[in-house]
Amino acid sequence: MNAGKRLTSDELVEELRSALDAESGWLPALVSPEGPVGISKEAALDVVVRRLQEFAEAPTVPEAVARQLRNAADAADAALVTEGSAQYGALGAAYAYILQAHHAASE
């Protein structure tokens, strides 16, 4: 990704989906087989929110990761009920929390 390029709202949602992707997402790979399953690349934002909440509550997810996932779910949920720059800000926050969760998972 170009560091000078600002992601669009659609690209931010795509990044959230990517973390949760059933085939290649890092979140499904983090939990045990009994945990939540990933989503499709076309999943709607409300599905992304629900799945983030499920992963945050999974017993095998470390607390530092779960905390960031809860924050990401809350931010993505806010994006469902906002428009324009407020929606973009909420999606950006959700993406930032996903990045923090990924970092916490790799520590």
Coordinates of all heavy atoms in Angstrom, one line a residue:
M1 N 0.8 -1.2 0.0 CA 0.0 0.0 0.0 C 0.9 1.2 0.0 O 1.9 1.3 0.7 CB -0.9 0.0 1.2 CG -1.8 1.2 1.3 SD -3.0 1.1 2.6 CE -2.0 1.5 4.0
N2 N 0.5 2.2 -0.7 CA 1.2 3.5 -0.8 C 0.9 4.3 0.5 O -0.2 4.6 0.8 CB 0.7 4.3 -2.0 CG 1.5 5.6 -2.2 OD1 2.2 6.0 -1.4 ND2 1.3 6.2 -3.4
A3 N 2.0 4.7 1.2 CA 1.9 5.4 2.5 C 1.2 6.7 2.3 O 0.5 7.2 3.2 CB 3.2 5.6 3.1
G4 N 1.2 7.3 1.1 CA 0.6 8.6 0.9 C -0.8 8.5 0.5 O -1.5 9.5 0.4
K5 N -1.3 7.3 0.2 CA -2.7 7.1 -0.3 C -3.7 7.0 0.9 O -3.4 6.2 1.8 CB -2.8 5.9 -1.2 CG -4.1 5.7 -1.7 CD -4.1 4.4 -2.6 CE -5.5 4.1 -3.1 NZ -6.2 3.1 -2.4
R6 N -4.7 7.7 0.9 CA -5.8 7.5 1.9 C -6.8 6.5 1.5 O -7.3 6.6 0.3 CB -6.5 8.9 2.1 CG -7.5 8.9 3.1 CD -8.1 10.3 3.3 NE -9.2 10.3 4.1 CZ -9.9 11.3 4.5 NH1 -9.6 12.5 4.1 NH2 -11.0 11.2 5.2
L7 N -7.1 5.5 2.3 CA -8.0 4.5 2.0 C -9.4 5.0 1.9 O -9.8 5.9 2.7 CB -8.0 3.4 3.0 CG -6.7 2.6 3.2 CD1 -6.8 1.6 4.3 CD2 -6.4 1.8 1.9
T8 N -10.2 4.5 1.0 CA -11.6 4.9 0.9 C -12.4 4.1 1.9 O -11.9 3.1 2.5 CB -12.2 4.6 -0.5 OG1 -12.2 3.2 -0.7 CG2 -11.4 5.3 -1.6
S9 N -13.7 4.5 2.1 CA -14.5 3.7 3.0 C -14.6 2.2 2.6 O -14.6 1.3 3.4 CB -15.9 4.3 3.1 OG -15.9 5.6 3.7
D10 N -14.8 2.0 1.3 CA -14.9 0.7 0.8 C -13.6 -0.1 1.1 O -13.7 -1.3 1.4 CB -15.2 0.6 -0.7 CG -16.6 1.1 -1.0 OD1 -17.5 1.0 -0.1 OD2 -16.9 1.5 -2.2
E11 N -12.5 0.5 0.9 CA -11.2 -0.2 1.2 C -11.0 -0.5 2.7 O -10.5 -1.5 3.0 CB -10.1 0.7 0.7 CG -10.0 0.8 -0.9 CD -9.0 1.8 -1.4 OE1 -8.8 2.8 -0.7 OE2 -8.5 1.6 -2.5
L12 N -11.5 0.4 3.5 CA -11.4 0.2 5.0 C -12.3 -1.1 5.3 O -11.8 -1.9 6.1 CB -11.9 1.4 5.7 CG -10.9 2.6 5.7 CD1 -11.6 3.8 6.3 CD2 -9.7 2.2 6.5
V13 N -13.5 -1.1 4.8 CA -14.3 -2.3 5.0 C -13.7 -3.6 4.5 O -13.7 -4.6 5.1 CB -15.7 -2.1 4.4 CG1 -16.6 -3.4 4.5 CG2 -16.5 -1.0 5.1
E14 N -13.0 -3.5 3.3 CA -12.3 -4.6 2.7 C -11.2 -5.1 3.7 O -10.9 -6.3 3.8 CB -11.8 -4.3 1.4 CG -11.1 -5.4 0.7 CD -11.9 -6.6 0.5 OE1 -13.1 -6.5 0.3 OE2 -11.4 -7.8 0.6
E15 N -10.5 -4.1 4.3 CA -9.4 -4.5 5.2 C -10.0 -5.2 6.4 O -9.4 -6.1 6.9 CB -8.6 -3.2 5.6 CG -7.8 -2.6 4.5 CD -6.7 -3.5 4.1 OE1 -6.1 -4.3 4.9 OE2 -6.3 -3.4 2.9
L16 N -11.1 -4.8 6.9 CA -11.8 -5.4 8.0 C -12.1 -6.9 7.6 O -11.9 -7.8 8.4 CB -13.0 -4.7 8.5 CG -12.8 -3.3 9.1 CD1 -14.1 -2.6 9.4 CD2 -11.9 -3.3 10.3
R17 N -12.7 -7.0 6.5 CA -13.1 -8.3 6.0 C -11.9 -9.2 5.8 O -11.9 -10.4 6.1 CB -13.8 -8.2 4.6 CG -15.2 -7.7 4.7 CD -15.8 -7.8 3.2 NE -17.0 -7.0 3.2 CZ -17.2 -6.1 2.3 NH1 -16.3 -5.7 1.4 NH2 -18.4 -5.5 2.3
S18 N -10.8 -8.6 5.4 CA -9.6 -9.4 5.2 C -9.1 -10.0 6.5 O -8.6 -11.2 6.5 CB -8.5 -8.5 4.6 OG -7.3 -9.2 4.4
A19 N -9.1 -9.3 7.5 CA -8.7 -9.9 8.8 C -9.6 -11.0 9.3 O -9.1 -11.9 10.0 CB -8.7 -8.8 9.9
L20 N -10.8 -11.0 8.8 CA -11.8 -12.0 9.2 C -12.0 -13.1 8.2 O -12.8 -14.0 8.4 CB -13.1 -11.4 9.5 CG -13.2 -10.4 10.7 CD1 -14.4 -9.5 10.7 CD2 -13.1 -11.2 12.0
D21 N -11.3 -13.0 7.0 CA -11.5 -13.9 5.9 C -11.4 -15.4 6.3 O -10.5 -15.8 7.0 CB -10.6 -13.6 4.8 CG -10.8 -14.4 3.6 OD1 -11.7 -14.0 2.8 OD2 -10.2 -15.5 3.4
A22 N -12.4 -16.2 6.0 CA -12.4 -17.6 6.3 C -11.2 -18.4 5.8 O -10.8 -19.3 6.5 CB -13.7 -18.2 5.8
E23 N -10.7 -18.0 4.7 CA -9.6 -18.7 4.1 C -8.2 -18.2 4.4 O -7.3 -19.0 4.6 CB -9.8 -18.7 2.6 CG -11.0 -19.5 2.1 CD -11.2 -19.5 0.6 OE1 -10.2 -19.3 -0.1 OE2 -12.3 -19.7 0.2
S24 N -8.1 -16.9 4.6 CA -6.8 -16.3 4.8 C -6.6 -15.3 5.9 O -5.6 -14.8 6.1 CB -6.3 -15.7 3.5 OG -7.2 -14.6 3.2
G25 N -7.7 -15.1 6.6 CA -7.7 -14.0 7.7 C -6.8 -14.5 8.9 O -6.8 -15.6 9.3
W26 N -6.2 -13.5 9.5 CA -5.4 -13.8 10.7 C -6.2 -14.1 11.9 O -5.8 -14.9 12.8 CB -4.4 -12.7 11.0 CG -4.9 -11.4 11.4 CD1 -5.3 -10.3 10.6 CD2 -5.2 -11.0 12.8 NE1 -5.8 -9.3 11.4 CE2 -5.7 -9.7 12.7 CE3 -5.1 -11.6 14.0 CZ2 -6.1 -9.0 13.9 CZ3 -5.5 -10.9 15.1 CH2 -6.0 -9.6 15.1
L27 N -7.4 -13.5 12.0 CA -8.3 -13.8 13.2 C -8.7 -15.3 13.2 O -8.6 -15.9 14.3 CB -9.4 -12.9 13.2 CG -9.1 -11.6 14.0 CD1 -10.2 -10.5 13.7 CD2 -8.9 -11.8 15.4
P28 N -9.3 -15.8 12.2 CA -9.7 -17.2 12.2 C -8.5 -18.2 12.5 O -8.6 -19.2 13.2 CB -10.3 -17.5 10.8 CG -10.8 -16.2 10.4 CD -9.8 -15.2 10.9
A29 N -7.3 -17.8 12.0 CA -6.1 -18.6 12.3 C -5.7 -18.5 13.8 O -5.0 -19.4 14.3 CB -5.0 -18.1 11.4
L30 N -6.1 -17.5 14.4 CA -5.7 -17.2 15.8 C -6.5 -18.1 16.8 O -5.9 -18.5 17.8 CB -5.9 -15.8 16.2 CG -5.5 -15.3 17.6 CD1 -4.0 -15.4 17.8 CD2 -6.0 -13.9 17.9
V31 N -7.7 -18.4 16.5 CA -8.6 -19.2 17.4 C -8.5 -20.7 17.2 O -8.2 -21.1 16.1 CB -10.0 -18.6 17.4 CG1 -10.1 -17.2 17.8 CG2 -10.7 -18.9 16.1
S32 N -9.0 -21.4 18.1 CA -9.0 -22.9 18.0 C -10.1 -23.2 17.0 O -11.0 -22.4 16.7 CB -9.3 -23.5 19.4 OG -10.5 -23.2 19.8
P33 N -10.2 -24.5 16.6 CA -11.2 -24.9 15.6 C -12.6 -24.8 16.2 O -13.6 -24.7 15.5 CB -10.9 -26.4 15.4 CG -9.4 -26.5 15.6 CD -9.1 -25.5 16.7
E34 N -12.7 -24.7 17.6 CA -14.0 -24.6 18.2 C -14.5 -23.1 18.3 O -15.6 -22.9 18.7 CB -14.0 -25.2 19.6 CG -13.8 -26.7 19.7 CD -12.3 -27.0 19.6 OE1 -11.4 -26.2 20.1 OE2 -12.0 -28.0 19.0
G35 N -13.6 -22.2 17.9 CA -14.0 -20.8 18.0 C -14.8 -20.3 16.8 O -15.2 -21.1 16.0
P36 N -15.0 -19.0 16.7 CA -15.8 -18.4 15.6 C -15.1 -18.8 14.3 O -13.9 -18.9 14.2 CB -15.7 -16.9 15.9 CG -15.3 -16.8 17.3 CD -14.5 -18.0 17.7
V37 N -15.9 -18.8 13.2 CA -15.4 -19.0 11.9 C -15.3 -17.7 11.2 O -15.9 -16.7 11.5 CB -16.3 -20.0 11.1 CG1 -16.3 -21.3 11.8 CG2 -17.7 -19.5 11.0
G38 N -14.5 -17.7 10.1 CA -14.3 -16.5 9.3 C -15.5 -16.1 8.5 O -16.5 -16.8 8.5
I39 N -15.4 -15.1 7.7 CA -16.5 -14.6 6.9 C -16.0 -14.7 5.4 O -14.9 -14.8 5.1 CB -16.9 -13.2 7.2 CG1 -15.7 -12.2 7.1 CG2 -17.4 -13.1 8.7 CD1 -16.0 -10.7 7.2
S40 N -17.0 -14.4 4.5 CA -16.7 -14.3 3.1 C -16.1 -13.0 2.7 O -16.3 -12.0 3.5 CB -17.9 -14.6 2.3 OG -18.8 -13.5 2.3
K41 N -15.5 -12.9 1.6 CA -15.0 -11.6 1.1 C -16.1 -10.6 0.8 O -15.8 -9.4 0.7 CB -14.1 -11.8 -0.1 CG -12.8 -12.6 0.2 CD -12.0 -12.8 -1.0 CE -10.9 -13.7 -0.9 NZ -9.8 -13.3 0.0
E42 N -17.3 -11.0 0.7 CA -18.4 -10.1 0.3 C -19.3 -9.9 1.5 O -20.4 -9.2 1.4 CB -19.3 -10.8 -0.8 CG -18.5 -11.0 -2.1 CD -17.7 -12.3 -2.1 OE1 -18.0 -13.2 -1.4 OE2 -16.7 -12.3 -2.8
A43 N -19.0 -10.3 2.7 CA -19.8 -10.1 3.9 C -20.2 -8.6 4.1 O -19.4 -7.7 3.9 CB -19.1 -10.7 5.1
A44 N -21.4 -8.4 4.5 CA -21.9 -7.1 4.8 C -21.3 -6.6 6.1 O -20.8 -7.4 6.9 CB -23.4 -7.1 4.9
L45 N -21.3 -5.3 6.3 CA -20.6 -4.7 7.5 C -21.3 -5.1 8.8 O -20.6 -5.4 9.8 CB -20.7 -3.1 7.4 CG -19.9 -2.4 8.5 CD1 -18.5 -2.8 8.6 CD2 -20.0 -0.9 8.2
D46 N -22.6 -5.4 8.8 CA -23.2 -5.9 10.0 C -22.7 -7.3 10.4 O -22.6 -7.6 11.6 CB -24.7 -5.8 9.9 CG -25.3 -6.7 8.9 OD1 -24.7 -6.8 7.8 OD2 -26.4 -7.3 9.1
V47 N -22.4 -8.1 9.4 CA -21.8 -9.4 9.6 C -20.4 -9.2 10.2 O -20.0 -9.9 11.1 CB -21.8 -10.2 8.4 CG1 -21.1 -11.5 8.6 CG2 -23.2 -10.5 7.9
V48 N -19.6 -8.3 9.7 CA -18.3 -8.0 10.2 C -18.4 -7.6 11.7 O -17.6 -8.1 12.5 CB -17.6 -6.9 9.3 CG1 -16.3 -6.4 10.0 CG2 -17.4 -7.3 7.9
V49 N -19.3 -6.7 12.0 CA -19.5 -6.3 13.4 C -19.7 -7.5 14.3 O -19.1 -7.7 15.3 CB -20.6 -5.3 13.5 CG1 -20.9 -5.0 15.0 CG2 -20.2 -4.0 12.8
R50 N -20.7 -8.3 13.9 CA -21.0 -9.5 14.7 C -19.9 -10.4 14.9 O -19.6 -11.0 16.0 CB -22.2 -10.2 14.1 CG -23.6 -9.6 14.4 CD -24.7 -10.5 14.1 NE -24.7 -11.1 12.8 CZ -25.2 -10.6 11.7 NH1 -25.8 -9.4 11.7 NH2 -25.1 -11.2 10.5
R51 N -19.1 -10.7 13.8 CA -18.0 -11.6 13.9 C -16.9 -11.0 14.7 O -16.3 -11.8 15.5 CB -17.5 -11.9 12.5 CG -16.7 -13.2 12.4 CD -17.6 -14.4 12.9 NE -18.8 -14.3 12.2 CZ -19.5 -15.3 11.6 NH1 -19.0 -16.5 11.7 NH2 -20.6 -15.1 10.9
L52 N -16.7 -9.7 14.7 CA -15.6 -9.1 15.5 C -16.0 -9.3 17.0 O -15.2 -9.6 17.8 CB -15.5 -7.6 15.2 CG -14.7 -7.3 14.0 CD1 -14.9 -5.8 13.7 CD2 -13.3 -7.7 14.1
Q53 N -17.3 -9.1 17.3 CA -17.8 -9.4 18.7 C -17.6 -10.8 19.1 O -17.1 -11.1 20.2 CB -19.2 -9.0 18.8 CG -19.5 -7.5 18.6 CD -20.9 -7.1 18.4 OE1 -21.7 -7.9 18.0 NE2 -21.3 -5.8 18.7
E54 N -17.9 -11.7 18.2 CA -17.7 -13.2 18.5 C -16.2 -13.5 18.8 O -15.9 -14.2 19.7 CB -18.2 -14.0 17.4 CG -19.8 -14.0 17.3 CD -20.3 -14.7 16.1 OE1 -19.5 -15.4 15.4 OE2 -21.5 -14.6 15.8
F55 N -15.3 -13.0 17.9 CA -13.9 -13.2 18.1 C -13.4 -12.6 19.4 O -12.6 -13.2 20.1 CB -13.1 -12.7 17.0 CG -13.0 -13.7 15.8 CD1 -13.8 -13.5 14.7 CD2 -12.2 -14.8 15.9 CE1 -13.7 -14.4 13.6 CE2 -12.1 -15.7 14.8 CZ -12.9 -15.5 13.7
A56 N -13.9 -11.4 19.8 CA -13.5 -10.8 21.0 C -13.9 -11.6 22.2 O -13.3 -11.5 23.3 CB -14.2 -9.4 21.1
E57 N -15.0 -12.4 22.1 CA -15.5 -13.2 23.2 C -14.9 -14.6 23.2 O -15.2 -15.4 24.2 CB -17.0 -13.2 23.2 CG -17.7 -11.8 23.4 CD -17.2 -11.1 24.6 OE1 -17.1 -11.7 25.7 OE2 -16.9 -9.9 24.5
A58 N -14.2 -15.0 22.2 CA -13.7 -16.3 22.1 C -12.7 -16.6 23.2 O -11.8 -15.7 23.5 CB -13.0 -16.6 20.8
P59 N -12.8 -17.7 24.0 CA -11.9 -17.9 25.1 C -10.4 -18.1 24.8 O -9.6 -17.9 25.6 CB -12.5 -19.2 25.7 CG -13.4 -19.8 24.7 CD -13.8 -18.7 23.8
T60 N -10.1 -18.4 23.5 CA -8.7 -18.6 23.2 C -8.0 -17.3 22.7 O -6.8 -17.3 22.5 CB -8.5 -19.7 22.1 OG1 -9.3 -19.3 21.0 CG2 -9.0 -21.0 22.6
V61 N -8.8 -16.2 22.6 CA -8.2 -15.0 22.2 C -7.6 -14.2 23.4 O -8.3 -14.0 24.4 CB -9.3 -14.1 21.5 CG1 -8.7 -12.7 21.2 CG2 -9.7 -14.7 20.2
P62 N -6.3 -13.9 23.3 CA -5.7 -13.2 24.4 C -6.4 -11.9 24.7 O -7.0 -11.2 23.8 CB -4.3 -12.9 23.9 CG -4.1 -13.8 22.8 CD -5.4 -14.1 22.2
E63 N -6.5 -11.5 26.0 CA -7.2 -10.3 26.4 C -6.8 -9.0 25.7 O -7.6 -8.2 25.4 CB -7.1 -10.1 27.9 CG -7.9 -8.9 28.5 CD -9.4 -8.9 28.0 OE1 -10.0 -9.9 27.9 OE2 -9.9 -7.7 27.8
A64 N -5.5 -8.9 25.5 CA -5.0 -7.7 24.8 C -5.6 -7.6 23.4 O -6.0 -6.5 22.9 CB -3.5 -7.6 24.7
V65 N -5.8 -8.7 22.7 CA -6.3 -8.8 21.4 C -7.8 -8.6 21.5 O -8.4 -7.8 20.7 CB -6.0 -10.1 20.7 CG1 -6.7 -10.2 19.3 CG2 -4.5 -10.3 20.5
A66 N -8.5 -9.2 22.4 CA -9.9 -9.1 22.6 C -10.4 -7.7 22.9 O -11.4 -7.2 22.3 CB -10.4 -10.0 23.7
R67 N -9.6 -7.0 23.7 CA -9.9 -5.6 24.0 C -10.0 -4.7 22.7 O -10.9 -4.0 22.5 CB -8.9 -5.0 25.0 CG -9.2 -3.6 25.4 CD -8.3 -3.2 26.5 NE -6.9 -3.6 26.4 CZ -6.2 -4.5 27.1 NH1 -6.9 -5.2 28.0 NH2 -5.0 -4.8 26.9
Q68 N -9.0 -4.9 21.8 CA -8.9 -4.2 20.6 C -10.0 -4.6 19.6 O -10.6 -3.8 18.9 CB -7.5 -4.3 19.9 CG -6.4 -3.8 20.7 CD -6.5 -2.4 21.1 OE1 -7.1 -1.6 20.4 NE2 -6.0 -2.0 22.3
L69 N -10.4 -5.9 19.6 CA -11.4 -6.4 18.8 C -12.8 -5.8 19.2 O -13.6 -5.5 18.4 CB -11.5 -7.9 18.8 CG -10.3 -8.6 18.1 CD1 -10.5 -10.1 18.2 CD2 -10.1 -8.1 16.7
R70 N -13.0 -5.7 20.5 CA -14.2 -5.1 21.0 C -14.3 -3.6 20.6 O -15.4 -3.1 20.1 CB -14.3 -5.2 22.6 CG -14.7 -6.5 23.1 CD -15.0 -6.5 24.6 NE -13.8 -6.3 25.4 CZ -13.0 -7.3 25.8 NH1 -13.2 -8.5 25.4 NH2 -12.0 -7.0 26.5
N71 N -13.2 -2.9 20.7 CA -13.2 -1.5 20.2 C -13.4 -1.4 18.7 O -14.2 -0.5 18.2 CB -11.8 -0.9 20.5 CG -11.6 -0.7 22.0 OD1 -12.5 -0.6 22.8 ND2 -10.4 -0.5 22.4
A72 N -12.9 -2.4 17.9 CA -13.1 -2.4 16.5 C -14.6 -2.6 16.2 O -15.1 -2.0 15.3 CB -12.2 -3.4 15.8
A73 N -15.2 -3.6 16.9 CA -16.6 -3.9 16.7 C -17.4 -2.7 17.0 O -18.4 -2.4 16.3 CB -17.0 -5.1 17.5
D74 N -17.1 -2.0 18.1 CA -17.9 -0.8 18.5 C -17.8 0.3 17.4 O -18.8 0.9 17.0 CB -17.5 -0.3 19.8 CG -17.9 -1.1 21.0 OD1 -18.7 -2.0 20.8 OD2 -17.3 -0.9 22.1
A75 N -16.6 0.5 16.9 CA -16.4 1.5 15.9 C -17.1 1.1 14.6 O -17.7 2.0 13.9 CB -14.9 1.7 15.6
A76 N -17.0 -0.1 14.2 CA -17.6 -0.6 12.9 C -19.1 -0.5 13.1 O -19.9 -0.2 12.1 CB -17.2 -2.0 12.6
D77 N -19.6 -0.8 14.3 CA -21.1 -0.7 14.6 C -21.5 0.8 14.4 O -22.6 1.0 13.9 CB -21.4 -1.2 16.0 CG -22.9 -1.4 16.2 OD1 -23.6 -1.9 15.3 OD2 -23.3 -1.0 17.3
A78 N -20.7 1.7 14.9 CA -21.1 3.1 14.7 C -21.1 3.5 13.3 O -21.9 4.3 12.9 CB -20.1 4.0 15.5
A79 N -20.3 2.9 12.4 CA -20.3 3.2 11.0 C -21.6 2.7 10.3 O -22.0 3.3 9.3 CB -19.1 2.5 10.3
L80 N -22.3 1.8 10.9 CA -23.6 1.3 10.4 C -24.7 2.4 10.5 O -25.6 2.4 9.7 CB -24.0 0.1 11.1 CG -23.3 -1.2 10.8 CD1 -23.7 -2.3 11.7 CD2 -23.5 -1.6 9.3
V81 N -24.5 3.3 11.4 CA -25.6 4.3 11.7 C -25.2 5.7 11.4 O -25.9 6.6 11.8 CB -26.1 4.1 13.1 CG1 -26.8 2.8 13.3 CG2 -25.0 4.4 14.2
T82 N -24.1 5.9 10.7 CA -23.6 7.2 10.4 C -23.4 7.3 8.9 O -23.4 6.3 8.2 CB -22.3 7.5 11.1 OG1 -21.3 6.5 10.8 CG2 -22.4 7.6 12.6
E83 N -23.2 8.5 8.4 CA -22.9 8.8 7.0 C -21.8 9.7 6.9 O -21.4 10.4 7.8 CB -24.2 9.4 6.4 CG -25.4 8.4 6.3 CD -26.6 9.1 5.7 OE1 -26.5 10.2 5.3 OE2 -27.6 8.4 5.6
G84 N -21.3 9.8 5.7 CA -20.3 10.8 5.3 C -19.0 10.7 6.1 O -18.5 9.6 6.3
S85 N -18.5 11.8 6.6 CA -17.2 11.9 7.3 C -17.3 11.1 8.6 O -16.3 10.6 9.1 CB -16.7 13.3 7.5 OG -17.6 14.0 8.3
A86 N -18.4 11.1 9.3 CA -18.6 10.4 10.5 C -18.4 8.9 10.3 O -17.8 8.2 11.1 CB -19.9 10.7 11.2
Q87 N -19.0 8.4 9.2 CA -18.9 7.0 8.9 C -17.5 6.7 8.5 O -16.9 5.6 9.0 CB -19.8 6.7 7.7 CG -19.8 5.2 7.4 CD -20.7 4.9 6.2 OE1 -20.6 5.5 5.2 NE2 -21.5 3.9 6.4
Y88 N -16.8 7.5 7.8 CA -15.5 7.3 7.4 C -14.6 7.2 8.6 O -13.7 6.4 8.8 CB -15.0 8.4 6.4 CG -13.6 8.1 5.9 CD1 -13.3 7.3 4.9 CD2 -12.5 8.8 6.6 CE1 -12.0 7.0 4.5 CE2 -11.2 8.6 6.1 CZ -11.0 7.7 5.1 OH -9.7 7.5 4.7
G89 N -14.8 8.2 9.6 CA -14.0 8.2 10.8 C -14.2 6.9 11.6 O -13.3 6.4 12.2
A90 N -15.4 6.4 11.7 CA -15.7 5.2 12.4 C -15.0 4.0 11.8 O -14.5 3.2 12.5 CB -17.2 5.0 12.5
L91 N -15.1 3.9 10.5 CA -14.4 2.8 9.8 C -12.9 2.9 9.9 O -12.2 1.9 10.1 CB -14.8 2.9 8.3 CG -16.2 2.5 7.9 CD1 -16.5 2.7 6.5 CD2 -16.5 1.0 8.3
G92 N -12.4 4.1 9.9 CA -10.9 4.3 10.1 C -10.5 3.9 11.5 O -9.5 3.3 11.7
A93 N -11.4 4.2 12.5 CA -11.1 3.8 13.9 C -11.1 2.3 14.0 O -10.3 1.6 14.6 CB -12.1 4.4 14.8
A94 N -12.1 1.6 13.3 CA -12.2 0.2 13.4 C -11.0 -0.5 12.8 O -10.4 -1.4 13.3 CB -13.5 -0.3 12.6
Y95 N -10.5 0.1 11.7 CA -9.3 -0.4 11.0 C -8.1 -0.2 11.9 O -7.3 -1.2 12.1 CB -9.1 0.3 9.7 CG -7.9 -0.1 9.0 CD1 -7.6 -1.4 8.6 CD2 -6.9 0.8 8.6 CE1 -6.5 -1.8 7.9 CE2 -5.8 0.5 7.9 CZ -5.6 -0.8 7.6 OH -4.4 -1.2 6.9
A96 N -8.0 0.9 12.6 CA -6.9 1.1 13.5 C -6.9 0.1 14.6 O -5.8 -0.4 15.0 CB -6.9 2.6 14.0
Y97 N -8.0 -0.1 15.2 CA -8.1 -1.1 16.2 C -7.8 -2.5 15.7 O -7.1 -3.3 16.5 CB -9.5 -1.2 16.9 CG -9.8 0.0 17.7 CD1 -10.9 0.9 17.5 CD2 -9.0 0.3 18.8 CE1 -11.2 1.9 18.3 CE2 -9.2 1.4 19.6 CZ -10.3 2.2 19.4 OH -10.6 3.3 20.2
I98 N -8.1 -2.9 14.5 CA -7.7 -4.2 13.9 C -6.2 -4.3 13.8 O -5.6 -5.3 14.1 CB -8.4 -4.4 12.6 CG1 -9.9 -4.7 12.7 CG2 -7.7 -5.5 11.8 CD1 -10.2 -6.0 13.4
L99 N -5.6 -3.2 13.4 CA -4.1 -3.2 13.3 C -3.5 -3.3 14.7 O -2.5 -4.1 14.8 CB -3.7 -1.9 12.6 CG -4.0 -1.7 11.2 CD1 -3.5 -0.3 10.7 CD2 -3.4 -2.8 10.3
Q100 N -4.1 -2.7 15.7 CA -3.5 -2.8 17.0 C -3.8 -4.2 17.5 O -2.9 -4.8 18.2 CB -4.2 -1.8 18.0 CG -3.8 -0.4 17.7 CD -4.6 0.6 18.5 OE1 -5.3 0.3 19.4 NE2 -4.4 1.9 18.1
A101 N -4.9 -4.8 17.2 CA -5.2 -6.2 17.6 C -4.2 -7.2 17.0 O -3.6 -8.1 17.6 CB -6.6 -6.6 17.3
H102 N -3.9 -7.0 15.7 CA -2.9 -7.8 15.0 C -1.6 -7.7 15.6 O -0.8 -8.7 15.8 CB -2.9 -7.4 13.5 CG -2.2 -8.4 12.7 ND1 -1.5 -8.1 11.6 CD2 -2.1 -9.8 12.8 CE1 -1.0 -9.1 11.0 NE2 -1.3 -10.2 11.7
H103 N -1.2 -6.5 15.9 CA 0.1 -6.2 16.6 C 0.2 -7.0 17.9 O 1.1 -7.6 18.3 CB 0.4 -4.7 16.7 CG 1.6 -4.4 17.4 ND1 2.9 -4.6 16.9 CD2 1.9 -4.0 18.7 CE1 3.8 -4.2 17.7 NE2 3.2 -3.8 18.8
A104 N -0.9 -6.8 18.7 CA -1.0 -7.5 20.0 C -0.9 -9.0 19.9 O -0.3 -9.7 20.7 CB -2.2 -7.1 20.8
A105 N -1.5 -9.5 18.8 CA -1.5 -11.0 18.6 C -0.1 -11.5 18.3 O 0.2 -12.7 18.5 CB -2.5 -11.3 17.5
S106 N 0.7 -10.7 17.6 CA 2.0 -11.1 17.2 C 3.1 -10.9 18.2 O 4.2 -11.3 18.0 CB 2.4 -10.4 15.9 OG 2.5 -9.0 16.1
E107 N 2.7 -10.3 19.4 CA 3.7 -10.1 20.4 C 3.9 -11.3 21.3 O 3.1 -12.1 21.5 CB 3.3 -8.9 21.3 CG 3.5 -7.6 20.6 CD 3.2 -6.4 21.5 OE1 2.5 -6.6 22.6 OE2 3.7 -5.3 21.2

